[in-house]
Amino acid sequence: MTDKKQEVWVFIEQREGKPADVSFELLSKGRKLAESLKGELKAVVIGHDLQDLAVETFRYGATEALLVDHPELEHYSTLPYSRIMSQLVDAHQPRIVLFGASFIGRDLAPRVASHTLSGLTADCTDLQISDVTYLRKDYPELLLQIRPAFGGNIIATIICPDSEVQMATVREGVMEKIPLAQPIDGTVTQVSYTPDEVDHLVRIIERHHEDAKVNLKAAPIIVSGGYGMGNFQNFQILYDLAHVIGGEVAGTRAAVDAGFIDHERQVGQTGVTVRPKLYIACGISGAIQHRAGMSDSNKIIAINDDPEAPIFSVCHYGIVGDVMEVIPMLIDAYKHKLK
Amino acid sequence: MSYHSIVMVKQVPDTANISGQVMKPDGTVNRSKLPTVFNPEDKVALELALQLRDRYGGTVRVVTMGPLKASDLLRDCLYMGADEAVLVSDRKFAGADTLATSYVLAETLRKLAPYDVIFAGRQAIDGDTAQVGPQTAEKLGLPQITYAEEILEAKDRTITVKRKIDNGFEVLEGKLPLLITVVKDAATPRPFRAKRVMAYKNARTLLEIEKMADANSLLYVDQLKDDYVSKGLFIPTLTADDLDIEVARCGLGGSPTKVHKIESVVLGGSTHETIPATKDGMYGLIDKLMDDHIFG
Ligand SMILES: Cc1cc2nc3c(=O)[nH]c(=O)nc-3n(C[C@H](O)[C@H](O)[C@H](O)COP(=O)(O)OP(=O)(O)OC[C@H]3O[C@@H](n4cnc5c(N)ncnc54)[C@H](O)[C@@H]3O)c2cc1C
Ligand SMILES: Cc1cc2nc3c(=O)[nH]c(=O)nc-3n(C[C@H](O)[C@H](O)[C@H](O)COP(=O)(O)OP(=O)(O)OC[C@H]3O[C@@H](n4cnc5c(N)ncnc54)[C@H](O)[C@@H]3O)c2cc1C
């Protein structure tokens, strides 16, 4: 490795100029990684009219924003974006490049990794810097990329010992977004872009995109229901509880599949990852894929009529009982104590 | 106009029903210990390719990189309606990450050209990375449409596809040839056709034929192979020697990502506090949550 300062890059994802939360979450994590490496955090912003967004990255610790701004880049498109990103990576050889594990990130990152021959680890749940001994050789300051695989049955630590550039994707909500009290006095560096014929091989002819209706990640309290709620009608009692204590309602995949609740409110590996102050799991068995999305909650209450249910091993307060009896009692107790 | 498709298919361990002891000490998977299934989204991808052929004519080929056992998967594809199946197999390809996998697949596809559409599943249920499709497209310099939900139309040299995005969808028009990755709800795979099962249940890959010859000194590989070819039951197998590849870019050695450590997920010991399911229990719980500064 050269004397050059090690760089950590984050690809800043946006739609209609609105940045994705995951990008700021990654900057916050990237800042810590850059500190461990005594290196620098940089943001790559691609799109049109994004000067403000480039500056916003300084609030999350970027010291420089590489801005590629062009009317033809207004909407994400695989070929131009991956070409730009690949050329930047080839030219600057950052040590680490982070992408959201989103529709855009998962479309883009593999192409960039394939082009630059970098290791790419998908859906990391944690990233750390550590010295590693691998096959009896010592490697200083490698990126440990921790991710579930095999349908969540195993947790693997992936390293890229011999790769100059290592890349990772992380899902939204997995890392914490930590704005700085005082933004960095960073620089915006304009990078020029030359359109190419191949950029138009795929054209967008129609698009429908709504802002998410619910923001589970921001909810301080989540009342979550599983298949054990029994039916759609019983499930509605969770809205009563959420209304009284001031929370949002969520559910498991089994509850979504059964039609009790919409997919956008699914918590877990293939849904949203949440870490509220309080998570109340009602009639939820606690499958690994569900726990992956909620086990970092500050306090967890589990209500289940099976004392052996795995959810009890991740909860702080466990209630063995029938949800349809316990929840009304809980609502009454809250009203009595706090109203 | 008719279209020629190639579908990338993968045999995967049935991760919905997994037991321990599946990881080898070097961190790679001991696949022989696991029941295997047709990767669900690859089956959907094959269905879409077959529908394209039903609608416009053309051909559907399937290709997989995998061990001998992956021959089963290729027969399943023939039962569903694929015109031809190809196995890519070599010890040198073992332990590949997505970069090394896509390298071998891209070189294989180059060899199988020409084609109009390459189909892949969005993601395989073992590695769960969703990387192999786009990485292969990049290596072939092909445009891609990921997360395809529906093929709306193919016309001359373009294809129109509806794809999923977060909270919505896009309709994209792409110039052929291109690569499409397919999500689960895009189609329901057709069942195996009884007639095709009868026709192809004795189809064999070169690896299987070699194994038969190994087990019986009266049989010779070349003769057996000719026999299968003449009956239309030979499943071609490509090895490293058949492809124009650098061995250093294949398999474990060609993989920048290494599995350093594996932990199977076990539940932590239970240290929670039990709250009785009674009125008093609930009152006590509210008090505790007030102490925890969650309420009040
Ligand atoms: C690749 C993959 C990804 C997945 N992603 C997710 C994901 O993102 N999120 C997710 O949640 N799941 C996910 N799953 C599914 C997951 O494996 C479980 O199937 C699911 O979480 C189970 O949901 P559940 O707890 O609601 O249902 P169940 O497992 O059926 O549990 C119901 C529970 O309710 C209890 N119960 C029944 N009646 C009552 C009653 N009257 N009172 C109290 N308790 C009662 C039962 O004892 C039981 O424990 C995924 C699976 C796979 C394979
Ligand atoms: C615990 C663990 C973690 C891993 N993590 C990573 C990681 O983070 N990064 C990484 O690069 N590798 C990783 N790997 C290696 C990776 O699983 C393998 O390279 C695997 O062969 C391909 O990746 P996938 O299963 O994720 O496929 P995906 O990329 O999810 O597959 C997408 C599609 O590509 C096609 N496809 C994939 N493989 C084949 C094939 N062999 N033949 C034909 N078509 C195929 C199919 O259409 C499939 O639906 C990991 C392996 C293990 C055991």
Side-chain angles (χ1 to χ4, degrees):
Chain A
M1 236 151 287
T2 56
D3 300 336
K4 184 175 104 98
K5 260 199 177 177
Q6 309 221 23
E7 294 182 5
V8 179
W9 284 16
V10 175
F11 168 73
I12 306 297
E13 164 178 341
Q14 49 84 25
R15 281 200 199 275
E16 276 96 49
K18 251 188 76 192
D21 273 347
V22 68
S23 302
F24 295 135
E25 293 161 9
L26 288 177
L27 284 172
S28 304
K29 185 69 188 186
R31 185 162 61 87
K32 292 190 187 145
L33 298 176
E35 271 166 20
S36 314
L37 291 170
K38 298 185 188 60
E40 257 188 287
L41 176 68
K42 296 189 177 180
V44 182
V45 182
I46 305 175
H48 185 45
D49 264 344
L50 297 176
Q51 178 74 23
D52 291 350
L53 177 52
V55 171
E56 205 177 335
T57 65
F58 302 148
R59 178 164 287 285
Y60 295 89
T63 55
E64 182 179 352
L66 301 171
L67 176 62
V68 192
D69 197 309
H70 194 280
E72 282 192 15
L73 297 172
E74 181 172 356
H75 296 293
Y76 172 78
S77 174
T78 311
L79 290 177
Y81 274 59
S82 61
R83 186 158 47 85
I84 292 169
M85 205 59 200
S86 298
Q87 285 171 356
L88 285 173
V89 169
D90 275 341
H92 298 271
Q93 296 285 302
R95 184 86 181 105
I96 297 171
V97 186
L98 305 177
F99 300 83
S102 57
F103 283 82
I104 288 179
R106 291 176 132 218
D107 187 80
L108 173 66
R111 288 203 73 122
V112 179
S114 185
H115 185 93
T116 60
L117 306 181
S118 315
L120 173 62
T121 306
D123 283 343
C124 298
T125 50
D126 197 6
L127 297 168
Q128 298 163 11
I129 303 287
S130 169
D131 297 342
V132 172
T133 308
Y134 178 72
L135 301 181
R136 275 179 266 139
K137 242 175 100 181
D138 292 327
Y139 296 87
E141 298 187 330
L142 278 191
L143 181 65
L144 302 188
Q145 303 163 104
I146 294 144
R147 67 173 302 244
F150 270 54
N153 290 282
I154 58 170
I155 305 287
T157 303
I158 311 274
I159 51 173
C160 303
D162 303 311
S163 195
E164 284 295 319
V165 185
Q166 44 206 323
M167 303 190 175
T169 68
V170 178
R171 272 174 206 264
E172 182 153 297
V174 169
M175 305 292 175
E176 234 179 310
K177 172 166 130 181
I178 314 166
L180 301 177
Q182 194 61 42
I184 306 246
D185 183 18
T187 32
V188 176
T189 306
Q190 305 273 349
V191 179
S192 66
Y193 161 73
T194 324
D196 188 307
E197 254 173 68
V198 301
D199 296 350
H200 303 290
L201 288 174
V202 175
R203 289 193 309 129
I204 305 171
I205 54 180
E206 201 184 322
R207 90 180 339 213
H208 294 263
H209 172 240
E210 293 163 28
D211 286 337
K213 281 183 238 79
V214 283
N215 188 359
L216 284 181
K217 285 185 299 164
I221 297 179
I222 293 177
V223 178
S224 187
Y227 193 66
M229 292 305 296
N231 57 46
F232 180 81
Q233 199 155 10
N234 285 354
F235 201 90
Q236 305 313 305
I237 195 180
L238 301 178
Y239 290 93
D240 298 341
L241 175 58
H243 179 72
V244 171
I245 63 178
E248 282 284 355
V249 177
T252 63
R253 184 157 101 177
V256 172
D257 289 347
F260 300 169
I261 188 164
D262 280 348
H263 178 259
E264 62 175 350
R265 291 179 186 262
Q266 178 182 314
V267 168
Q269 189 190 317
T270 46
V272 191
T273 302
V274 296
R275 45 167 72 76
K277 276 198 301 183
L278 178 64
Y279 189 91
I280 310 182
C282 310
I284 293 177
S285 60
I288 175 72
Q289 296 88 356
H290 185 71
R291 298 200 313 265
M294 49 68 74
S295 60
D296 282 345
S297 303
N298 199 314
K299 282 282 185 276
I300 299 168
I301 301 176
I303 310 171
N304 195 306
D305 64 1
D306 172 9
E308 303 294 320
I311 190 73
F312 286 122
S313 66
V314 293
C315 78
H316 303 90
Y317 302 116
I319 306 165
V320 179
D322 185 333
V323 280
M324 294 314 289
E325 288 168 18
V326 174
I327 293 171
M329 284 196 287
L330 184 58
I331 293 174
D332 282 347
Y334 183 91
K335 283 184 174 163
H336 190 265
K337 287 261 175 191
L338 284 134
K339 290 244 160 103
Chain B
M1 186 181 164
S2 62
Y3 299 95
H4 299 289
S5 307
I6 303 180
V7 189
M8 310 205 294
V9 292
K10 187 183 181 192
Q11 190 177 50
V12 290
D14 187 0
T15 53
N17 304 294
I18 226 163
S19 64
Q21 334 304 312
V22 299
M23 304 310 295
K24 290 189 263 190
D26 67 352
T28 57
V29 185
N30 192 350
R31 283 166 199 275
S32 60
K33 285 263 192 323
L34 282 172
T36 50
V37 293
F38 197 141
N39 184 50
E41 286 177 328
D42 300 357
K43 212 170 182 180
V44 178
L46 174 55
E47 175 62 31
L48 279 197
L50 294 171
Q51 287 179 10
L52 192 70
R53 188 188 65 186
D54 293 346
R55 231 164 119 185
Y56 300 102
T59 58
V60 174
R61 288 178 284 171
V62 298
V63 55
T64 192
M65 180 185 98
L68 172 84
K69 198 162 180 287
S71 314
D72 296 335
L73 169 73
L74 295 178
R75 277 185 287 275
D76 286 353
C77 294
L78 294 170
Y79 300 160
M80 263 176 78
D83 298 298
E84 197 192 358
V86 177
L87 177 66
V88 187
S89 193
D90 200 303
R91 262 179 229 288
K92 299 189 182 94
F93 302 157
D97 74 353
T98 61
L99 192 78
T101 300
S102 61
Y103 175 61
V104 172
L105 288 172
E107 291 310 320
T108 304
L109 291 167
R110 247 189 254 284
K111 182 134 186 146
L112 300 178
Y115 46 75
D116 300 302
V117 190
I118 309 269
F119 285 97
R122 174 194 51 128
Q123 121 178 17
I125 60 168
D126 51 349
D128 297 323
T129 68
Q131 290 172 184
V132 171
Q135 288 187 324
T136 307
E138 174 72 25
K139 293 201 160 72
L140 293 168
L142 293 179
Q144 73 191 29
I145 298 178
T146 52
Y147 295 93
E149 281 184 310
E150 196 183 343
I151 293 182
L152 299 173
E153 189 182 31
K155 203 174 167 192
D156 304 324
R157 300 300 301 158
T158 63
I159 193 162
T160 312
V161 177
K162 182 176 163 206
R163 75 183 289 254
K164 234 187 175 81
I165 57 171
D166 35 315
N167 302 307
F169 66 88
E170 280 175 339
V171 176
L172 301 180
E173 190 188 83
K175 286 256 182 300
L176 300 175
L178 55 60
L179 181 141
I180 296 177
T181 79
V182 174
V183 298
K184 190 131 183 230
D185 356 301
T188 308
R190 63 194 64 188
F192 298 161
R193 308 270 138 119
K195 247 172 130 174
R196 294 191 65 94
V197 175
M198 289 311 290
Y200 290 109
K201 65 175 196 254
N202 293 319
R204 290 293 176 268
T205 56
L206 183 61
L207 285 188
E208 289 173 309
I209 290 170
E210 284 170 357
K211 212 173 156 189
M212 281 189 252
D214 274 353
N216 185 339
S217 57
L218 296 175
L219 298 175
Y220 295 97
V221 172
D222 288 345
Q223 255 176 355
L224 262 180
K225 184 185 151 187
D226 289 346
D227 193 29
Y228 275 87
V229 171
S230 68
K231 288 189 280 189
L233 293 174
F234 179 65
I235 301 179
T237 307
L238 300 175
T239 65
D241 293 337
D242 300 313
L243 297 170
D244 186 14
I245 51 172
E246 291 168 48
V247 171
R249 290 179 65 185
C250 303
L252 192 60
S255 298
T257 67
K258 312 280 184 200
V259 178
H260 176 51
K261 206 166 73 188
I262 291 276
E263 288 158 83
S264 38
V265 175
V266 276
L267 298 180
S270 168
T271 54
H272 70 275
E273 196 171 328
T274 304
I275 308 287
T278 60
K279 190 174 159 199
D280 286 347
M282 292 308 115
Y283 276 66
L285 177 60
I286 302 289
D287 285 338
K288 286 180 202 297
L289 292 169
M290 287 166 72
D291 290 345
D292 292 340
H293 303 288
I294 288 170
F295 291 153

